[in-house]
Amino acid sequence: MARITVEDCQERVDNRFLLVQMAIKRVHQYREGYPALVESRNKEVVTALREIAAAKIMPDDMGYYKAPDTPIDESSID
């Protein structure tokens, strides 16, 4: 599998602080027994970043986290 970078994730979530919070929350969910949404044999934090880069998890209100001039693709949000 290709290497995951923070830049890959920032294509989905512009705010680095939010990105870190999302990854931490997802790691806690794994430890509570939630299944991974992408196939990965990596550590929990890498799996969380892979999910963010694949747009499998997104913040609840993307309009709040995007810059006002950035178009939001509502079709990619489940």
Side-chain angles (χ1 to χ4, degrees), residues 6-77:
V6 173
E7 287 79 17
D8 296 331
C9 298
Q10 283 188 304
E11 291 175 8
R12 304 288 182 197
V13 180
D14 290 338
N15 187 325
R16 284 187 184 204
F17 297 105
L18 175 62
L19 180 61
V20 170
Q21 288 177 340
M22 289 172 62
I24 289 169
K25 181 176 181 178
R26 196 65 182 126
V27 168
H28 287 199
Q29 289 176 341
Y30 296 144
R31 293 179 181 173
E32 291 174 2
Y34 286 76
L37 301 175
V38 295
E39 188 70 31
S40 178
R41 289 184 269 166
N42 300 106
K43 293 184 178 184
E44 295 164 329
V45 69
V46 175
T47 303
L49 292 174
R50 288 186 187 281
E51 289 180 347
I52 293 168
K56 297 289 183 178
I57 57 171
M58 299 295 285
D60 293 334
D61 182 10
M62 282 302 293
Y64 179 78
Y65 301 109
K66 291 281 190 179
D69 60 341
T70 304
I72 298 172
D73 182 14
E74 296 290 336
S75 65
S76 66
I77 301 173

